[in-house]
Amino acid sequence: MLSMDPVTLSRILTGLTLFVHIIFASIGVGIPLMIALAEWRGIRTKDPHYTLLARRWARGFVISVAVGVVTGTAIGLQLSLLWPTFMRVAGHAIALPLFMETFAFFIEAIFLGMYLYTWDRFKKPMLHLLLLIPVAIGSSASAFFITSLNAFMNSPQGFTLRNGVFTDVQPLAAMFNPATPTKVSHVLASSYTLSAGLLAGIAAYSMLRGRKEVYFKKALNLTVMASFIFAASTAIIGDFSGKFLAHYQPEKLAAAEWHFETMTQAPLIFGGVRDENGNVHYALKIPYALSILAGNSPNTKVIGLEEFPEDERPPLLIHYMFDLKVTIGVVLLAIPFLFLLRRRFRGKSKGYPRWLLLGVMALGPLAMAAIELGWMFAEIGRQPWIVRGYMKVSEAATTSNSVGYMLILFVLLYIVLCASCIAVLVKLFRGKDVNDEMKQLGIPEGGRS
Amino acid sequence: MSYGIIGITVLWTFLFGYLIVASVDFGAGFFSYYSKITGHNNKVHTIIQRYLSPVWEVTNVFLIFFVVGLIGFFPDSAYYYGTALLVPGSLVTVLLALRGAYYAYNTYGSSKEDNITYMAIYGATGLLIPAALSTILAISEGGIIREENGKVVLDWARFLTNPYTWSVIILALVSVLYISAMFLAFYAHKAGDEGAFSVLRTYALSWSGPTILACLFAFFQINRQNPAHFSNMLDMAWMFIASLICFLLAVYFIWKKKNLGWSFLLVILQFGFAWYGYGRSHLPYILYDQISTADSITNDVMAGALIAAFLAGLLVLIPSLILMMRLFLFDAKYVSGSPLKKG
């Protein structure tokens, strides 16, 4: 492994860091919103159960934030350590969003510290909740800035390339490039889905273990409802992203769909296997669907992969990532939908069936898988470019011979971090039972139902 | 004033902020562990936790801000420093990661009051990180990063055999402990915790001597390493003299156990004078003599946008920091209050 060239090793190491970071980053973006939602309901309805819910979530949240912060620090430094030539050239154009991301992070960090230590310090509970608003804004804003940077790498604009340097830079045009709206909203919505799904899974797990307290039912209802709304918006935005690709990055869409010839009324290929001659077997072929995906009409012309020189085509492997992530997206929408349906037409039976609770438990891990797949699809689908149309990945990496050793170092670090994070979280929730805590805080077991 | 000068001034200021805030944090980790294993005084530990808990995350951001800003204003620095520092930079990243994560695990996740393993990691990284980070100052004096056949390389042999490298490392280590002890003594006194105060005062006094010796040592090593820089420093000798006076006053106050707020302020001024004196005399070079402030970003629009973003950021950042200080640092009830409650 160590004999690979620095470019490949740098790609693997960057990919690994981001693979770990995006999970914690997504949680960091979504959970504050869920905590705020619970605390707000607690204040509005004067129901102490929701307030306790917010408290318990916040406690676990800090642990995950810690890992998010340190892996974020890692990727922040690795950008310059592994891609010095890229940063030297593109630094002229992307400095602004990077800079502003740090400020957003500052705000989040400052107010999160305050929020955690002021639960009982204000006479008005609303004041405490207000502290969470900058946390949520800060985390979403940093997602916005960093995603706009990534969007720039996919559809660069706002500069001219002269003598290998980006000049005449218009920072705002670079930030608000065509990819920014769909990318940012997709990232935010999927982060919210992941967070709501994870919290729903915790509630479902407790109920599966036979906990009957009304506290868990409230938690389940709130989180599954939120999951449904967020998953639905993620899906809708995903559709816009498809249309964006067809227009601005047709080679990515074409590679994802194994679409070679430019044509109207293009069919969509789902799954399948390609042989050496390029024939696709065992695939589900949906007529007109790709044209509809690309432009809402079966007569939309979809550009095929043949229009691009072979050394500028993304790997065809992304087809599977794309299909899998879309499939998971559908499941993520279906489970909460069934849950809500079941709640509405409950009939005589009390409680939820086991299969439904198991399904809810799967929401978090599924959303996690979808985020990883979607991100890999977006990044690998941009190959061979680091800045599409301007700079190839192979020209951007470090020339150092030590990347292999650093890769091993970071693999070990991430294993230690993730394992210890999970262990600490599990211990945290096992250590403090809800009932004990309710007694401690003087909340009647039934609460208000 | 050129954009390059404005840029480096802003960044240097943020790095100074990091120097103070992080020193308190790094040193506190060490003292916390030290007082625990010597069975010396559990009270010291409580005071330290009370201060650190709400701020640990903020410290990290200062560093990232500096790195991002440096690349933003001086993209060439990404090329030279980035390539040459892959190994040391990655090691620092790993240390920072372990430190951050295990601090959170200990404070929020551990059921035991102090997990000795977590504290050991915290204490050890608290000394290793400043030592590692400070070596970049030695590298910036030039002669260590070289460009050979179009490849940027770090000359390890030259780096490790250089007395200046070791003088900055020693300086970083002792001043971290000194700054931290001075702050914590002030904080303990404010909390009315006389037991903790007397221990921390001893720490502060005993680290003051080594600090000034290390300063002098590093000062004269610059002459050997980079005579041009040294003669620039002599041109602004008043800044270093002012730094020395602040040091003497700060130590006098803590010796007499009075004006402790002033005492810590003087510590900040002491390092401030030395820091800006060192930085100013280093100009116009960011890295002798490969990157100078004249090589900053080529386009004015981005420079303007960065400065505007910076000012807007400060408008939000400063009130937030003040609010945080009022809530935790200067709130008598919090500082001396009932046992620390977390969510």
Side-chain angles (χ1 to χ4, degrees):
Chain A
M1 187 170 82
L2 292 176
S3 60
M4 277 193 263
D5 65 318
V7 180
T8 314
L9 288 167
S10 296
R11 282 187 62 192
I12 297 175
L13 179 48
T14 312
L16 175 74
T17 302
L18 282 169
F19 188 87
V20 179
H21 179 62
I22 53 173
I23 291 302
F24 292 96
S26 306
I27 292 174
V29 169
I31 301 265
L33 194 73
M34 296 300 298
I35 298 176
L37 197 64
E39 204 189 343
W40 182 70
R41 274 200 83 159
I43 294 171
R44 280 294 300 271
T45 61
K46 297 207 165 50
D47 184 337
H49 279 161
Y50 287 108
T51 313
L52 181 60
L53 205 55
R55 255 180 199 243
R56 287 174 68 88
W57 285 346
R59 211 176 292 146
F61 177 58
V62 200
I63 304 290
S64 74
V65 164
V67 184
V69 169
V70 300
T71 50
T73 309
I75 191 64
L77 297 173
Q78 276 176 0
L79 268 184
S80 304
L81 295 174
L82 295 173
W83 307 98
T85 315
F86 163 69
M87 290 304 274
R88 181 191 211 178
V89 175
H92 294 272
I94 61 173
L96 186 65
L98 267 181
F99 208 62
M100 292 177 76
E101 200 253 346
T102 335
F103 268 117
F105 183 29
F106 245 130
I107 300 304
E108 183 194 345
I110 291 173
F111 282 91
L112 181 64
M114 287 192 227
Y115 180 79
L116 289 171
Y117 283 94
T118 50
W119 274 98
D120 302 312
R121 275 184 65 183
F122 301 113
K123 286 206 181 74
K124 282 188 191 158
M126 211 52 186
L127 278 177
H128 182 247
L129 176 59
L130 284 178
L131 287 175
L132 201 55
I133 294 173
V135 179
I137 293 179
S139 58
S140 293
S142 60
F144 168 80
F145 290 123
I146 212 69
T147 312
S148 81
L149 195 161
N150 181 272
F152 170 85
M153 291 159 82
N154 279 282
S155 58
Q157 67 169 32
F159 64 91
T160 37
L161 190 65
R162 203 177 297 143
N163 306 327
V165 177
F166 288 10
T167 48
D168 302 332
V169 175
Q170 301 154 271
L172 290 179
M175 239 169 87
F176 293 95
N177 58 73
T180 300
T182 40
K183 263 199 187 270
V184 169
S185 46
H186 202 61
V187 161
L188 289 178
S190 55
S191 301
Y192 298 147
T193 313
L194 169 64
S195 306
L198 276 177
L199 296 175
I202 297 175
Y205 174 75
S206 304
M207 293 181 83
L208 272 173
R209 301 226 358 195
R211 306 292 299 257
K212 296 222 165 30
E213 291 89 343
V214 60
Y215 169 88
F216 293 105
K217 272 187 196 145
K218 286 176 187 168
L220 193 68
N221 282 331
L222 181 73
T223 49
V224 177
M225 177 65 108
S227 303
F228 179 71
I229 295 169
F230 293 141
S233 33
T234 313
I236 294 167
I237 299 160
D239 180 58
F240 291 140
S241 308
K243 293 178 178 33
F244 158 81
L245 284 183
H247 196 75
Y248 289 96
Q249 240 180 331
E251 78 277 19
K252 195 190 268 185
L253 186 69
E257 297 299 346
W258 290 351
H259 175 69
F260 285 84
E261 273 172 62
T262 301
M263 61 163 114
T264 58
Q265 306 184 345
L268 188 134
I269 300 171
F270 184 87
V273 182
R274 264 172 58 93
D275 60 23
E276 299 97 65
N277 306 322
N279 296 318
V280 179
H281 305 283
Y282 320 114
L284 184 68
K285 231 180 185 177
I286 311 168
Y288 311 121
L290 185 58
S291 282
I292 294 175
L293 177 75
N296 278 344
S297 143
N299 292 320
T300 308
K301 190 200 259 181
V302 186
I303 296 170
L305 215 46
E306 282 177 352
E307 315 256 338
F308 296 88
E310 226 161 296
D311 62 339
E312 286 180 15
R313 289 183 197 168
L316 292 174
L317 187 80
I318 60 172
H319 176 66
Y320 297 108
M321 297 171 190
F322 185 75
D323 284 357
L324 209 55
K325 112 175 159 143
V326 173
T327 314
I328 296 178
V330 173
V331 177
L332 282 175
L333 199 53
I335 296 173
F337 181 71
L338 286 175
F339 180 91
L340 296 176
L341 217 60
R342 162 88 195 187
R343 202 176 67 173
R344 188 137 174 75
F345 306 103
R346 190 173 307 176
K348 280 183 191 133
S349 68
K350 281 191 174 172
Y352 295 102
R354 197 180 156 77
W355 62 267
L356 195 54
L357 290 176
L358 282 172
V360 172
M361 257 182 74
L363 285 179
L366 282 176
M368 226 179 252
I371 284 180
E372 295 288 10
L373 284 165
W375 162 74
M376 284 195 272
F377 159 70
E379 293 305 297
I380 299 173
R382 175 157 51 95
Q383 297 304 314
W385 302 106
I386 191 162
V387 180
R388 180 181 176 269
Y390 291 94
M391 191 183 208
K392 288 199 172 162
V393 169
S394 50
E395 308 158 26
T398 178
T399 45
S400 168
N401 295 321
S402 317
V403 189
Y405 299 103
M406 296 303 111
L407 178 59
I408 295 173
L409 180 71
F410 278 98
V411 167
L412 292 176
L413 173 73
Y414 297 141
I415 291 175
V416 170
L417 279 185
C418 292
S420 54
C421 176
I422 293 169
V424 169
L425 278 177
V426 168
K427 216 173 117 196
L428 187 71
F429 282 97
R430 291 248 169 90
K432 237 179 176 180
D433 190 76
V434 178
N435 275 336
D436 300 345
E437 208 169 334
M438 280 199 257
K439 271 181 212 137
Q440 241 176 42
L441 292 167
I443 303 172
E445 205 162 296
R448 277 166 33 119
S449 45
Chain B
M1 220 173 10
S2 75
Y3 285 127
I5 298 287
I6 297 178
I8 196 64
T9 309
V10 164
L11 295 174
W12 201 241
T13 303
F14 260 79
L15 205 53
F16 181 63
Y18 181 70
L19 173 95
I20 298 294
V21 184
S23 290
V24 172
D25 184 324
F26 289 140
F30 177 77
F31 288 136
S32 192
Y33 178 66
Y34 181 76
S35 66
K36 177 83 187 171
I37 53 164
T38 50
H40 196 52
N41 205 328
N42 269 338
K43 276 181 191 161
V44 181
H45 183 62
T46 318
I47 280 289
I48 290 172
Q49 283 302 75
R50 191 177 289 279
Y51 163 75
L52 280 184
S53 305
V55 302
W56 66 274
E57 234 193 324
V58 181
T59 317
N60 242 346
V61 195
F62 273 99
L63 181 66
I64 291 295
F65 186 93
F66 174 75
V67 175
V68 164
L70 186 68
I71 313 292
F73 276 103
F74 309 100
D76 278 351
S77 58
Y79 178 66
Y80 286 104
Y81 283 121
T83 313
L85 294 179
L86 175 68
V87 175
S90 298
L91 289 174
V92 170
T93 314
V94 169
L95 291 174
L96 280 173
L98 289 175
R99 181 178 173 81
Y102 282 89
Y103 177 71
Y105 294 167
N106 188 31
T107 317
Y108 306 98
S110 180
S111 49
K112 271 187 293 177
E113 190 54 20
D114 316 304
N115 185 318
I116 198 82
T117 320
Y118 293 170
M119 285 179 70
I121 292 176
Y122 203 61
T125 51
L127 292 185
L128 289 171
I129 295 169
L133 285 177
S134 64
T135 55
I136 295 171
L137 289 183
I139 292 174
S140 79
E141 294 293 335
I144 293 169
I145 292 181
R146 282 208 302 268
E147 210 170 1
E148 284 165 1
N149 314 323
K151 271 176 97 171
V152 175
V153 288
L154 181 73
D155 187 340
W156 280 99
R158 186 136 180 208
F159 173 67
L160 292 172
T161 55
N162 190 343
Y164 183 59
T165 306
W166 297 100
S167 73
V168 236
I169 291 179
I170 294 168
L171 177 58
L173 285 181
V174 293
S175 44
V176 156
L177 295 172
Y178 168 69
I179 293 174
S180 186
M182 288 296 263
F183 175 79
L184 292 170
F186 153 68
Y187 197 67
H189 187 72
K190 210 174 155 59
D193 190 339
E194 286 309 313
F197 172 67
S198 80
V199 177
L200 290 163
R201 176 174 166 269
T202 318
Y203 291 165
L205 287 174
S206 51
W207 284 110
S208 63
T211 300
I212 206 69
L213 286 177
C215 282
L216 290 172
F217 182 53
F219 190 73
F220 290 109
Q221 283 301 330
I222 292 180
N223 189 19
R224 278 186 49 175
Q225 173 74 20
N226 185 339
H229 185 187
F230 188 73
S231 81
N232 281 347
M233 279 169 85
L234 290 185
D235 287 346
M236 40 194 92
W238 68 269
M239 295 186 86
F240 299 98
I241 294 167
S243 169
L244 183 66
I245 293 170
C246 291
F247 166 78
L248 292 173
L249 278 173
V251 174
Y252 175 75
F253 283 149
I254 198 137
W255 176 257
K256 287 283 173 192
K257 300 185 192 177
K258 62 178 190 187
N259 300 341
L260 292 175
W262 278 103
S263 172
F264 186 65
L265 200 66
L266 284 163
V267 172
I268 296 181
L269 285 175
Q270 173 203 339
F271 280 89
F273 277 120
W275 183 250
Y276 284 97
Y278 171 85
R280 215 177 122 194
S281 54
H282 200 284
L283 291 178
Y285 292 107
I286 310 277
L287 168 63
Y288 262 96
D289 46 0
Q290 283 147 317
I291 311 170
S292 83
T293 49
D295 307 322
S296 69
I297 30 178
T298 40
N299 61 95
D300 296 353
V301 190
M302 183 51 111
L306 282 182
I307 291 168
F310 175 74
L311 290 177
L314 278 191
L315 280 183
V316 189
L317 191 59
I318 290 174
S320 315
L321 283 174
I322 291 175
L323 180 61
M324 184 158 96
M325 285 185 185
R326 290 185 56 129
L327 276 173
F328 298 111
L329 223 50
F330 299 110
D331 185 288
K333 240 160 95 191
Y334 173 79
V335 175
S336 55
S338 54
L340 196 54
K341 245 193 209 165
K342 47 194 180 194

